[in-house]
Amino acid sequence: MSDVQLVMNAGSSSLKFAAYMAKGDKPVLKGKVSGIRRAPEFSATGAQPDALGELTADTTHDEMVQRVLGWLTAHPEFGDVTAVGHRVVHGGRNFSKPVLVTDYVLAQLTELEPLAPSHQPHNLAAIRAVRGWKADLPQVACFDTGFHASQPKLNRMFGLPRKLTDQGVIRYGFHGLSYEYIARILPRHLGENADGRVVVAHLGNGASMCAMTGRRSVATTMAFSALDGLVMGRRCGSLDPGVLLYLQQGLGMTIGQIETLLYKESGLLGVSGVSNAMQLLQDSPAPEASEAIELFCLRAAQELARMLPCIGGLDALVFTAGIGENSARVRSGICAHLGWLGVSLSSDANAAGEEMISRPESSVQVCVLPTDEESVIVGHMHDIVG
Ligand code: ADP
């Protein structure tokens, strides 16, 4: 039986996994459980949709990981798992590079759970579940915050008292594994501009943007938590902090209620009252759905513009992730706000889903590149465990 390395990406409502035989290879197995805690659906290479047994809204994230591991055990033809790599959302100030998971590392990462309450506990639950499955298996944690460690100090600071900055209340940034992948492949797609002033827009359920020069992160829209920046599927994005005070003091909401409001009931879902999924909003006749899409596009363009002083202009804009890769409407909606920067989109190329979607005369190259966070994780795993 061949040896494989397993990658797990345990998100807030999904669990993605992939098995690789060697660094740089295509995965021999790819699978996903989506809609966890709502209407879970399983799909994987060569598997029946019911292969994990009955999945309901009561099936917890933890149990989902156990079921996937049980399914892998029952299918040795996929290979013998020799190591597992995980996407972990928050590495805090101590972990910017991928690390081998030890008891100490796990304890430190657990302390960061309040900083990413809808992701970090699920990431760590997956690590614990793998320990329960095969205690001696080496596990590697790769951090979404890691890529942004290159941001200059000023770009990471809030206008808060220095004591808080010193305690780590700073802009960390997320989606780093996706940005790392895109940064790696940019030279193949952008030529000289790859090392210039590039903004990458990772637009999925969670959405952020990263401004790079020399293919390193200089600024990003998410900050201390994964709430800041763009309007997202269910998250509000940047908000006047006075609103939080009003929710608590004026409306008497508890901290727990405010947390649920900000992480789960806002964003595209809250604005539209229809769905958090862009695809469904695009198909909806409700005016609130169109308004939610328009707000998403306007806020994205505003967030992009906010980062430009940090990189001094814009040579290229790259769209990636579920919305960025698939929604011509959103790409054109965002670019429509960026004409003043010299962005000129080819509506034919955009509608046809081509890779380069800017017109030849556009002073900013605009392109669409699919991301691949799992391949970044497997690369780091090979570097650490061989
Ligand atoms: P995450 O990994 O953060 O859960 P994804 O990167 O899978 O999210 O992106 C999910 C988003 O992409 C959803 O809003 C979904 O509706 C949207 N999406 C996927 N396919 C399309 C499509 N063909 N057209 C428009 N939006 C799409």
Side-chain angles (χ1 to χ4, degrees):
M1 195 195 311
S2 47
D3 287 350
V4 291
Q5 296 195 332
L6 184 67
V7 170
M8 294 201 123
N9 179 347
S12 52
S13 64
S14 67
L15 170 65
K16 296 178 194 157
F17 58 95
Y20 294 78
M21 287 178 59
K23 180 180 181 174
D25 263 11
K26 289 250 172 287
V28 290
L29 165 68
K30 234 177 155 140
K32 180 175 182 179
V33 186
S34 57
I36 300 178
R37 286 309 211 162
R38 291 194 293 278
E41 282 179 33
F42 172 68
S43 62
T45 330
Q48 296 297 323
D50 61 355
L52 298 189
E54 197 195 353
L55 304 176
T56 69
D58 293 330
T59 317
T60 62
H61 288 77
D62 192 29
E63 201 180 331
M64 222 52 101
V65 179
Q66 313 271 8
R67 298 244 194 137
V68 168
L69 295 174
W71 178 72
L72 286 172
T73 310
H75 289 275
E77 67 271 19
F78 288 127
D80 193 15
V81 177
T82 56
V84 184
H86 298 264
R87 172 184 175 201
V88 175
V89 158
H90 220 304
R93 280 193 300 184
N94 293 341
F95 302 105
S96 55
K97 297 256 178 337
V99 286
L100 196 63
V101 177
T102 60
D103 289 344
Y104 171 77
V105 168
L106 197 51
Q108 294 261 304
L109 297 178
T110 304
E111 283 184 19
L112 299 172
E113 283 186 355
L115 304 194
S118 56
H119 291 88
Q120 191 91 341
H122 304 311
N123 304 153
L124 303 187
I127 293 178
R128 291 194 187 95
V130 171
R131 282 185 157 198
W133 182 51
K134 291 184 181 178
D136 297 335
L137 216 50
Q139 298 197 66
V140 173
C142 302
F143 303 103
D144 260 333
T145 45
F147 185 72
H148 302 294
S150 55
Q151 292 178 96
K153 183 175 174 215
L154 209 58
N155 296 356
R156 309 193 82 183
M157 287 171 71
F158 292 115
L160 285 169
R162 188 162 292 274
K163 189 167 164 234
L164 285 169
T165 308
D166 294 344
Q167 284 171 10
V169 184
I170 57 173
R171 304 182 67 93
Y172 290 96
F174 300 88
H175 292 135
L177 298 165
S178 174
Y179 294 129
E180 186 175 342
Y181 176 78
I182 298 290
R184 203 177 281 173
I185 64 166
L186 278 182
R188 269 186 264 150
H189 302 275
L190 293 187
E192 271 183 13
N193 276 345
D195 285 305
R197 302 162 300 177
V198 178
V199 167
V200 181
H202 176 109
L203 309 179
N205 269 317
S208 72
M209 291 179 168
C210 177
M212 306 178 187
T213 52
R215 291 188 284 138
R216 286 159 66 85
S217 172
V218 178
T220 187
T221 60
M222 275 183 176
F224 177 70
S225 74
L227 277 178
D228 204 13
L230 279 69
V231 169
M232 298 173 229
R234 293 165 181 272
R235 285 171 255 165
C236 55
S238 295
L239 193 68
D240 173 355
V243 173
L244 303 183
L245 301 178
Y246 172 72
L247 294 177
Q248 194 189 14
Q249 295 166 354
L251 298 186
M253 290 176 71
T254 64
I255 296 294
Q257 288 169 328
I258 294 174
E259 181 178 317
T260 303
L261 179 90
L262 300 180
Y263 276 97
K264 302 211 164 100
E265 298 170 353
S266 299
L268 294 173
L269 174 67
V271 174
S272 69
V274 174
S275 172
N276 64 303
M278 185 58 81
Q279 206 166 0
L280 297 183
L281 294 183
Q282 290 183 176
D283 292 341
S284 167
E288 293 84 0
S290 298
E291 194 171 60
I293 298 174
E294 282 164 30
L295 180 66
F296 181 92
C297 295
L298 175 64
R299 292 284 305 112
Q302 288 173 328
E303 287 289 316
L304 179 148
R306 190 189 60 75
M307 294 191 296
L308 293 188
C310 303
I311 55 172
L314 189 64
D315 298 313
L317 168 60
V318 179
F319 287 104
T320 194
I323 299 172
E325 291 166 29
N326 296 299
S327 175
R329 178 165 164 189
V330 167
R331 292 191 300 258
S332 101
I334 294 173
C335 290
H337 294 295
L338 301 175
W340 57 276
L341 266 175
V343 171
S344 174
L345 209 60
S346 155
S347 42
D348 289 346
N350 185 38
E354 288 177 17
E355 179 183 300
M356 191 60 67
I357 58 173
S358 46
R359 290 207 180 98
E361 67 271 23
S362 177
S363 47
V364 177
Q365 275 184 308
V366 184
C367 72
V368 183
L369 298 176
T371 193
D372 187 353
E373 291 154 311
E374 285 80 18
S375 79
V376 173
I377 297 174
V378 81
H380 287 308
M381 226 191 326
H382 274 274
D383 293 343
I384 291 181
V385 297

